[in-house]
Amino acid sequence: MIYLDHAATTPMRPEVWDAMAPFASEAFGNPSGSHGVSRKAKNALEEAREEAASMLGCRPMEIVFTGGGTEADALAIQGRAVGGGGVVTTSVEHEAVLESADFLGRRGSRVVRIPVDRQGMVDPDRVVEAVDASTAVVSVMAANNETGAVLPVGEIAGRVKAKWPQVPVHTDAVQYYVASDISVDEWGIDMLSLSAHKFGGPKGVGLLYVREGTGLEPVLHGGGQELGRRSGTQNVMGVAGMVAAMRCSQQERARFLSNVGEARRGFEEALAGVAVRTIDDRLLQHSHLRFPGFNNEILVIRLDQRGVAASTASACQSGASKVSHVLTAMGYTATEARECLRFTFGWTTTPEEGRRAGKIVLEALR
């Protein structure tokens, strides 16, 4: 199988398995306890928090460990606006952001979705214009999970802060981190979501960076873990795996960029003339293509039969009969949207796989 669906999930790195192994045996304790077994877990948890913070350029206590990217997004949106404040976001966000915003909208919050152009790009002016004194949070993703379009988060955050310094800016960087370093201060953001399984870590664990001084109402209530921001016994094993994956991603960026760049280039060259690239300013690991006259669901099945894994939309929409909300927001007709496929490369991808996959796609089209 040539696996080209890394945006949905990635294989776990060997280093991640090694980092997680101790927490299945001698360090299995509940980090909220006070005896020796629990102290091992607690110490490991805080060491992981410190390392994650150092890689994002923030303070350890600004890291909140969550059950994944969806929970991190929900905590950022609902945790800020649950009291009735407004939400300003874009029309191409992940469902975790859009559904959280809609949930608040049904309870009286003002929700504004900023439209995008044919390239999936949002106009920073329109974002700033939509913010007012009642806005509780602005949420703009760093890069789109479906198309790979890279949005100007730093510019948007700077301009929002210049006019409304009290309004926090959140970004879903779930797809972004695997290929690029992130500095929360350089971007000027107040909250940031990551999910471990997008860069070689385990499923079911993520984090939310929350800048000191940013008020946040918990979505999960209970024992008050994570400084009262997220109750529930922490998944120490998962956290250790996530931070190991973050470390590997940073250490292997040069190799990743070289291999993935060459793989995508060979893949798209093989399809020149039969596929239309939908996005120009995109993540290196994304190849979102339109095949005019071909149904994407049939093509995905034929590719699977030939040993290539791809997807018709985001993993959260796969199998659904509705058309991608991202492509609809970009102005695609239902017919055009059903001609699009997402191929995403990752840390296991080789340049040769990219070239071979391109030839297999041609065979499937024929």
Side-chain angles (χ1 to χ4, degrees), residues 17-41:
W17 288 104
D18 293 340
M20 293 169 63
F23 304 98
S25 53
E26 69 270 14
F28 64 87
N30 188 321
S32 296
S34 56
H35 49 69
V37 178
S38 288
R39 285 198 301 274
K40 286 183 180 179

Side-chain angles (χ1 to χ4, degrees), residues 18-295:
D18 293 340
M20 293 169 63
F23 304 98
S25 53
E26 69 270 14
F28 64 87
N30 188 321
S32 296
S34 56
H35 49 69
V37 178
S38 288
R39 285 198 301 274
K40 286 183 180 179
K42 177 67 172 178
N43 290 341
L45 184 71
E46 298 314 318
E47 288 170 6
R49 195 186 308 277
E50 290 177 4
E51 188 172 0
S54 69
M55 287 185 277
L56 295 177
C58 66
R59 301 176 181 84
M61 290 300 102
E62 294 176 316
I63 297 293
V64 181
F65 292 123
T66 69
T70 291
E71 185 192 334
D73 284 345
L75 178 57
I77 305 303
Q78 297 181 39
R80 278 296 305 170
V82 71
V87 179
V88 174
T89 187
T90 79
S91 56
V92 293
E93 298 295 313
H94 190 277
E95 289 87 346
V97 169
L98 295 180
E99 291 297 324
S100 290
D102 288 348
F103 167 79
L104 294 165
R106 292 192 295 271
R107 282 151 180 78
S109 292
R110 171 180 173 265
V111 176
V112 180
R113 293 190 185 189
I114 308 300
V116 298
D117 62 18
R118 186 76 175 185
Q119 286 286 313
M121 192 58 55
V122 66
D123 183 350
D125 285 337
R126 299 193 67 171
V127 177
V128 176
E129 290 167 2
V131 180
D132 62 20
S134 70
T135 302
V137 62
V138 173
S139 185
V140 178
M141 65 191 340
N144 188 264
N145 51 301
E146 187 171 334
T147 66
V150 178
L151 279 67
V153 172
E155 180 185 354
I156 290 171
R159 294 179 64 176
V160 168
K161 290 294 186 180
K163 188 173 182 180
W164 302 99
Q166 80 282 10
V167 175
V169 177
H170 164 257
T171 187
D172 178 330
V174 164
Q175 296 290 337
Y176 191 93
Y177 181 79
V178 67
S180 301
D181 290 340
I182 293 174
S183 169
V184 294
D185 282 342
E186 284 183 14
W187 280 2
I189 54 174
D190 303 285
M191 294 183 286
L192 176 142
S193 302
L194 291 182
S195 184
H197 74 108
K198 304 297 187 179
F199 45 84
K203 299 177 184 67
V205 61
L207 66 79
L208 178 68
Y209 154 74
V210 183
R211 186 177 295 276
E212 186 178 6
T214 304
L216 203 64
E217 178 70 21
V219 174
L220 297 178
H221 299 269
Q225 290 87 345
E226 297 299 297
L227 293 181
R229 298 168 297 192
R230 194 271 187 185
S231 290
T233 301
Q234 293 98 332
N235 178 4
V236 182
M237 177 185 284
V239 166
M242 175 174 64
V243 173
M246 291 178 70
R247 185 189 318 123
C248 290
S249 294
Q250 283 203 344
Q251 293 172 347
E252 296 185 0
R253 285 266 157 75
R255 184 193 67 82
F256 179 93
L257 296 174
S258 174
N259 281 1
V260 167
E262 188 176 343
R264 191 184 73 174
R265 184 165 51 252
F267 175 76
E268 293 186 350
E269 286 175 354
L271 296 173
V274 298
V276 179
R277 196 175 75 199
T278 60
I279 298 292
D280 294 328
D281 188 9
R282 55 189 170 144
L283 293 170
L284 183 70
Q285 65 267 28
H286 274 61
S287 182
H288 191 267
L289 303 175
R290 181 179 163 224
F291 297 88
F294 292 89
N295 179 277

